[in-house]
Amino acid sequence: MNQPIVQSLQGVTLAGGGPFSARDLKFALSRAPVPVAADGGADRLLRAGVMPEAVIGDFDSLTEAARQAIPKARQHPMPEQATTDFDKALRSVSAPFVLALGFAGARLDHGLAVFNTLIRRAGQRCIVLGPSDLAFAAPAELELRLRPRDTVSLFPMAQVRGQSTGLEWPIEGLDFAPDGMIGTSNRVTAPLVRLVFDGPGMLVILPRRRLDAAIRALTQP
C-alpha cells in the first residue's frame, strides 16, 4: 500500500453517504474518535457538526457546500472508477481499527460491495455498523467474549472451513461457501467463543451491542 492519507494511533470513524443518526455517530466517535469521510459522508459529518480529518473518494456526491467548508488540504480526490469510495478510503487509512457508518442498508448493491471490500481489506480491521448489528472479516483465529444466547452469524464470501467452541451448533466439518453452506443465526453457549478458520473469506455478524467485544477481539495482540 502507498503511504496512507490518514495515520492514527486511535480508532477511525469512517462516514459514508448512507443514512446514520447523530446518536450513531456519537456512539462510534466515543470509541474511534478520528472522523474520516468517504465522499458524500463528509456532508453528513458536517451536518452533525463534525469536521472530517480527511475526505477520500471520487467526489461525485460531495456537495459544493462541503467542498467550500472543508480545508483543501483535507480533500483527497481519487477519480478512478475501478473501486468504490469505501475501498478508496479504507485502503488509505492506517489505524488500530476502523468503524464504518453509513455503508449498510442504503442499497443492496452498495452493501454487497462493502462486504467484498471487507474481505479484500481484512487486514484493516474494519467493523461495519448497521442499525442493529455489525459485520467484520474474520481473522484466522478469533476469541470473542459474549453472553449466552447472543446471536453469532457466519457468512462465507469464499470457500472456508473452521472450528468453534462456545457455539450451540459447532462448525467443525462444515464446508462453507457463498453458494452453499452458511452459518447464520448460531447462538452463544459460553462466555468465550473461539473461532478458527483455514483461510480468509468469512464474515462475522454480531448484535451491535457487542461492538466493544468485537473491537477487543480484533485488536488484541
Side-chain angles (χ1 to χ4, degrees):
M1 186 174 83
N2 295 330
Q3 186 74 8
I5 291 170
V6 177
Q7 299 184 70
S8 174
L9 296 177
Q10 299 176 293
V12 165
T13 291
L14 178 61
F20 58 84
S21 67
R23 184 178 179 182
D24 291 336
L25 182 58
K26 182 178 179 181
F27 178 73
L29 287 172
S30 68
R31 292 154 173 83
V34 181
V36 174
D39 204 346
D43 285 273
R44 292 191 174 274
L45 287 180
L46 291 174
R47 285 197 293 271
V50 175
M51 174 62 70
E53 293 292 324
V55 186
I56 303 165
D58 61 15
F59 287 20
D60 65 345
S61 59
L62 186 67
T63 65
E64 184 61 30
R67 293 172 195 256
Q68 295 298 321
I70 298 168
K72 290 294 184 183
R74 299 189 182 196
Q75 299 183 33
H76 303 274
M78 295 184 180
E80 57 90 357
Q81 295 294 307
T83 59
T84 64
D85 289 323
F86 178 59
D87 187 294
K88 293 179 177 72
L90 195 57
R91 72 182 189 236
S92 302
V93 169
S94 175
F97 64 95
V98 175
L99 300 183
L101 274 178
F103 295 97
R107 279 175 47 178
L108 288 177
D109 57 343
H110 286 179
L112 288 170
V114 165
F115 292 146
N116 174 275
T117 297
L118 276 184
I119 294 299
R120 290 189 297 105
R121 306 283 178 193
Q124 296 297 89
R125 291 176 291 192
C126 177
I127 302 171
V128 173
L129 298 178
S132 61
D133 51 16
L134 60 86
F136 59 89
E141 297 186 13
L142 183 69
E143 289 188 348
L144 289 158
R145 295 200 172 274
L146 302 171
R147 295 185 182 181
R149 301 197 65 79
D150 277 349
T151 299
V152 176
S153 289
L154 303 174
F155 195 93
M157 300 290 285
Q159 293 184 345
V160 60
R161 292 170 64 91
Q163 299 177 351
S164 66
T165 58
L167 293 180
E168 184 169 352
W169 295 285
I171 66 173
E172 284 82 356
L174 301 179
D175 294 309
F176 290 103
D179 61 348
M181 176 65 69
I182 61 174
T184 56
S185 299
N186 210 325
R187 281 199 295 267
V188 173
T189 58
L192 181 65
V193 173
R194 189 167 189 270
L195 300 169
V196 179
F197 299 103
D198 66 355
M202 185 66 82
L203 287 174
V204 178
I205 303 171
L206 301 175
R208 198 170 78 159
R209 64 182 179 274
R210 300 296 174 245
L211 173 61
D212 292 333
I215 293 172
R216 285 193 296 269
L218 290 178
T219 57
Q220 65 186 9

